[in-house]
Amino acid sequence: MKPYNNKAWWLVLPVFVLVAFSAIIPMMTVVNYSVQDIFDPSTRYFVGTEWYREILADPRLHDSLLRQFIYSFCVLAIEVPLGIVVALSMPRRGLGVPFSLILLSLPLLVPWNVVGTIWQIIGREDIGLYGWILNSLGLDYNYASNPRDAWITVLVMDVWHWTSLVALLCYSGLRSIPDVYYQAARIDRASHWAVFRFIQLPKLKNVLLIAVMLRFMDSFMIYTEPFVLTGGGPGTATTFLSQTLTQMALGQFDLGRAAAFSLIYFLIILLVTWVFYTAMTHNDNKE
Amino acid sequence: MGWMAWTLPTALFFAGIALLLVAMTVWQTVSPGRERKGFLPLTTSRGDRLFIGLLASAYGHLLVLALTDWPLWVATAICATGMAIIMKWG
Amino acid sequence: MRLRKSLVMLVYLLFVLVPIYSLVNMSFKSNREILGGLTLWPTAPTLDNYRVVFTEPTWYTSYLNSLSYVSMNMLISLLVALPAAYAFSRYRFLGDKHMFFWLLTNRMAPPAVFLLPFFQLYSAVGLFDTPIAVALAHCLFNVPLAVWILEGFMSSVPKEIDETAYIDGYTFPKFFIRIFLPMIRPGIGVTAFFCFMFSWVELLLARTLTSVDAKPIVAQMTRTVSASGIDWGVLAAAGVVALLPGIAVIYFVRNHVAKGFALGRV
């Protein structure tokens, strides 16, 4: 049990001040904006909860929220199992280890707008490899005009970009399993499935929780990649929450509505983070 | 501070939250609370229950705004009651 | 079994590398060749695109701007996160769990939510269009992440080491710098890498908080649309150049990076 000592606060204070500056002050400002109709700093009117009522009835919020949840769900459903498979296939020793670690990390190091650019080119049917292959196979694939293709391209792009994160997390979880466990399993002639189910999966539970949380949250705030790839289109097929909000805030400079949107967005994040955090601390306590 | 566009109601709101946090700190120092299990499906400390209550209130207000034409004080009254219940028995 | 595993790995690595190869491939082509049709390697390799990136002031200054705010952010994040992570890993204190949770929410909050007030805030304090503004803004998600990773690494150092050092008469700062920090060096390296990575790849805040003087490379890249359309070759070359620092940094932490991705808690 860790000792109880309130002096530890002094060590946390710098972090608190720094993050408060960039989190609490802006958050207060957002709340202030969300209850006013602002034309310029000196011409503003208190409108109470009018913006909230309006934004809650706004189809733009409903649509992008729905799209966002479907998208984040698809991301998790593909990336988590795929990440586990890749992690299980990682070499355990030898030169292959650092080699595959670095290669796996490559997509994570690409600036997000470059990710969009890469897929923008590679998906084009005239000059991009994937687009060309798909069209040669007789599929009529065009991410710029077909909403379904655009959606799938954004999803594949995310899988390419982030599955490595899940794989690396799982890999480090797997590495912490002592060899003795595997030897015991070999003596018992346990099947590969049994080894996975009863030795590897339990050990992966903690890292998987982190992976699911990070992937859910980061896909929930995705902005740059689809913005560069499709600009949110065709139509609004790939316009997710962050982009809708950015359009409102910077495109139309619609301060009140954007602020109310921000707060609703933030409340969703707050709830989901809390659920994951509670699950994580609950797990830690049990061990 | 002009750019922050303060209004009286929001100032009061944040002052209230700050006071609440100070009060909780003082309360915890004067008579330390323990973690316990109430009707919520997890062990909670006072601070946890306060957070759960506040978050639930925020969602409660949004629900009322989205689905009904009730004046806002009705939502506030309902949420305050819920908050008290969570703090006491949660 | 072993063969099947290697096969899965190879196929996945191929999936990872093909897009990156196509970027590198494109950076050695002229625009005419890029738009002319699909070629699997440059038929007339050219270094012109790289020449533009390295000689035109708008390009290389934006590259330097990025490097400057990223390193500032790395330094600030580590400096404040180290003591805080120690506090979280060694002590319980009033509101510790709630504090940690609050930090976490800032890592999870979408930058878009903070866009509007950040613009106003940094304009109000006169930091708009300076690297330090972007560095501070990126602290919003990097500091919590740094605390999280470091806390994991620190918790795996046995507490007895602290106790022995205090008995031997070390004061806290002396113990922390002389004994404790060297012990978690891999953790610090990995944390620095993560701060670097997430600050380097972020676009939305970096673009919003800068206009001319501090324009970062990622923003410069989104503004390559000229009269003759997008300059794909230069864009690809800039992308390759933007990839290099990350590869350089990850090479140094390759042995610990997997643990870092697990936030130090395996």
Side-chain angles (χ1 to χ4, degrees), chain B residues 10-22:
Chain B
T10 51
L12 287 177
F13 172 74
F14 282 113
I17 299 271
L19 271 180
L20 212 55
L21 288 180
V22 172

Side-chain angles (χ1 to χ4, degrees), chain A residues 80-93 97 101 104 163-183 192-211, chain C residues 1 5 8-9 257-266:
Chain A
V80 171
L82 184 61
I84 295 177
V85 170
V86 172
L88 287 172
S89 315
M90 284 278 286
R92 288 231 191 94
R93 53 186 69 82
V97 179
L101 274 179
L104 272 185
T163 305
S164 299
L165 178 80
V166 183
L168 289 167
L169 268 163
C170 293
Y171 168 73
S172 73
L174 286 175
R175 254 203 346 192
S176 68
I177 302 173
D179 271 342
V180 191
Y181 284 42
Y182 291 116
Q183 283 157 14
H192 288 299
W193 171 249
V195 170
F196 176 69
R197 175 68 191 80
F198 296 106
I199 298 179
Q200 293 171 324
L201 199 59
K203 199 71 190 174
L204 284 182
K205 214 172 66 184
N206 268 335
V207 281
L208 275 180
L209 202 58
I210 298 176
Chain C
M1 186 61 195
K5 271 187 175 180
V8 171
M9 199 63 204
V257 77
K259 190 175 177 189
F261 277 110
L263 304 164
R265 50 201 66 230
V266 277

Side-chain angles (χ1 to χ4, degrees), chain B residues 65-88:
Chain B
L65 280 176
L67 303 176
T68 66
D69 292 328
W70 302 344
L72 205 61
W73 61 263
V74 180
T76 313
I78 296 172
C79 288
T81 324
M83 183 101 189
I85 294 173
I86 289 175
M87 284 305 276
K88 186 88 175 70

Side-chain angles (χ1 to χ4, degrees), chain A residues 208-220:
Chain A
L208 275 180
L209 202 58
I210 298 176
V212 170
M213 171 163 76
L214 285 178
R215 277 322 298 136
F216 181 82
M217 291 307 185
D218 288 346
S219 66
F220 211 78

